[in-house]
Amino acid sequence: MAIKDLNHFLTDYFTAHDCQIIHNQNGVATVQLNEKMDRALMNRPFYWHYIKKMGHNGDPMSLTLITNPNKQDEKGEWIHFGSPRLQQIFTHLKNNEKYTKLFQQINTTTRTPLHPWLVINMKISYIGKQKKDEIISIGLHLLSGMMKPNMMEHLEQLPLQLTISDYCFTLSPLIRIKSGFLRIESVIDQHIQKQSNEWADDSLQTLTEEMNMLKHFYHDTDDETRANQMDKELKEINNRYQPTITYEVINGGIFYLAEGAIQ
């Protein structure tokens, strides 16, 4: 269910934002940004303010993104779950393109119904001694209730557009969006419960060891100031190592697709 191919995700992301993929081979992709994406990702507000004030078009930068672990030594940015650049891209998607409505492009001369799908892309964060993020994409058919994992991989195979094609019409959902979202949340919860708890056990073991070590350091102290300092440090250790799981919506939307488009 998780998005495993970061290279594919990144090239799709930049292509969707009208950026040219100059090179893409063996997990190393070079992308020529356009002005909009340079402004969004490269943190050069003063450059763009100056260049526009001078009446020039500007020179957007390029990015080389490395997702292949064997290519980390090459010139570029090493991208992995948790890397600052990937988090920046997630934030950009979250803030600017969190929700959408798209229609499958259909070439037809007869009336064709399009079925509503609720699609949610979710980031699960396993936080403890170490942090791991997982991206899950789920589609829910709002007529039958059927769910489809890896939904984005299926959507990538379909031509999608912002407007409905001629002779097509949409079917009204039988499942409300709020109810559909709760169903998807339930699937996410089940997925989390099936995961190994080894990471949490490791975090709890380290938590116990760190707390015991700290208590031993402050052993036999009656000084109120030192006791307060110990309590403060115990809380910091607990916050650092206590295993927690959170999830948040990266983006989602309603997709109107032809019957049988998702198998």
Side-chain angles (χ1 to χ4, degrees), residues 239-256:
N239 291 337
R240 189 181 311 133
Y241 295 111
Q242 183 66 42
T244 58
I245 298 175
T246 64
Y247 56 77
E248 64 174 326
V249 174
I250 299 173
N251 54 26
I254 302 297
F255 291 73
Y256 289 94

Side-chain angles (χ1 to χ4, degrees), residues 1 13 41-42 58 62 82 99 105 109 130 144 158 174 199 219 233 236 259:
M1 295 174 68
Y13 167 78
L41 301 179
M42 303 312 294
S62 62
Y99 304 109
Q105 181 181 1
T109 57
Q130 296 180 332
S144 68
L158 301 176
L174 296 179
W199 68 275
H219 183 62
E233 293 183 26
E236 291 175 350
E259 184 177 10

Side-chain angles (χ1 to χ4, degrees), residues 2-186:
I3 293 177
K4 299 177 181 180
D5 192 339
L6 276 178
N7 175 270
H8 192 53
F9 166 79
L10 291 168
T11 53
D12 279 353
Y13 167 78
F14 284 108
T15 299
H17 288 83
D18 299 318
C19 296
Q20 180 186 2
I21 308 300
I22 300 173
H23 168 85
N24 183 27
Q25 189 174 8
N26 296 326
V28 180
T30 299
V31 181
Q32 176 59 57
L33 302 177
N34 53 31
E35 178 181 336
K36 180 181 178 181
M37 295 308 293
D38 188 295
R39 286 176 177 267
L41 301 179
M42 303 312 294
N43 193 27
R44 300 198 297 165
F46 296 110
Y47 168 80
W48 286 108
H49 175 77
Y50 171 79
I51 210 71
K52 291 302 180 181
K53 189 175 181 179
M54 297 296 293
H56 300 310
N57 291 328
D59 185 19
M61 299 178 69
S62 62
L63 281 174
T64 296
L65 307 172
I66 303 170
T67 56
N68 184 344
N70 298 322
K71 301 286 185 176
Q72 289 186 53
D73 294 335
E74 295 191 11
K75 186 177 180 180
E77 296 186 29
W78 164 231
I79 304 295
H80 56 90
F81 289 112
S83 64
R85 180 66 74 189
L86 188 60
Q87 297 306 309
Q88 182 191 36
I89 290 172
F90 287 158
T91 299
H92 178 255
L93 286 170
K94 177 181 177 181
N95 293 339
N96 297 278
E97 299 167 37
K98 194 165 185 175
Y99 304 109
T100 188
K101 180 169 71 174
L102 293 174
F103 304 86
Q104 182 178 354
Q105 181 181 1
I106 305 290
N107 295 318
T108 182
T109 57
T110 60
R111 284 177 57 78
T112 303
L114 299 183
H115 293 233
W117 286 80
L118 174 63
V119 178
I120 299 294
N121 296 317
M122 192 89 73
K123 180 176 78 168
I124 305 174
S125 296
Y126 304 85
I127 306 169
K129 183 179 179 180
Q130 296 180 332
K131 180 179 178 182
K132 182 184 76 170
D133 291 331
E134 181 181 18
I135 308 300
I136 287 182
S137 178
I138 296 178
L140 170 67
H141 190 265
L142 292 177
L143 294 176
S144 68
M146 180 183 73
M147 287 202 189
K148 197 71 177 179
N150 301 318
M151 188 63 177
M152 290 304 297
E153 294 182 10
H154 296 285
L155 291 176
E156 287 169 0
Q157 310 303 318
L158 301 176
L160 300 172
Q161 57 190 24
L162 293 172
T163 57
I164 192 168
S165 297
D166 292 340
Y167 299 101
C168 293
F169 64 96
T170 61
L171 297 176
S172 298
L174 296 179
I175 301 171
R176 294 180 179 273
I177 292 178
K178 182 177 180 180
S179 175
F181 181 78
L182 292 176
R183 294 191 189 195
I184 291 176
E185 273 194 323
S186 177

Side-chain angles (χ1 to χ4, degrees), residues 197-206 243:
N197 292 325
E198 185 176 341
W199 68 275
D201 294 337
D202 187 36
S203 293
L204 288 172
Q205 181 179 345
T206 302

